[in-house]
Amino acid sequence: MSEAKEPVIRPRVATVWLGGCSGCHMSFLDMDERLLDLAAKVDLVYSPIADRKVFPEDVDVTLVEGAVVNEENLHMLHQVRRNTRMLVAFGDCAVTGNVPAIRNALGTALPVLDRAYRDARLLNPRIPAEDGIVPRLLDKVRPLHQVVKVDAFLPGCPPSPDLIHALLLDAVAGKVPSFAGRAIFG
Ligand code: SF4
């Protein structure tokens, strides 16, 4: 009688899109054929490219793109932290605030809302009010580490596909990736 085989346990990987332009996820897709190799090694359990609505429990590695710009991002990031063993700040916006944090110089979120919605409505009353359309903006945009503990940082705007691939191979092998001397901002 043949022995029963142990089930293969594959690392559970997620990617999350907060306040960013999605360029980091575009770079993720630019791993091209290496995605097939990764697909054989890990389970992608949540991602904007996987259309799953609820962030799952018990995730091994989550790459988080973007800064924390609104209340929805804040809620999501805390949920990701609770459910993830290794949380990676994925790209310059997640690491430093980068482009979304430029508006911090204005002091509060009000000038942004005025310019994007209220001033525009003076010219075109058919533009809808922002209430109920966009999540409430935070007055200050923050990088991830100012909100939750971050386990690894991958700078770049966006990070290159080569670095994303190297990070994932390290992370799913249980190593904390370090990009000192290998990755640059911008
Ligand atoms: S780091 Fe660059 S590419 Fe990534 S979300 Fe921010 S602006 Fe976009």
Side-chain angles (χ1 to χ4, degrees), residues 17 19-25 65-67 90-94 97-100 156-159:
W17 178 14
C21 73
S22 90
C24 293
H25 274 84
E65 170 190 320
F90 178 31
D92 286 355
C93 294
N98 197 31
V99 176
C157 183

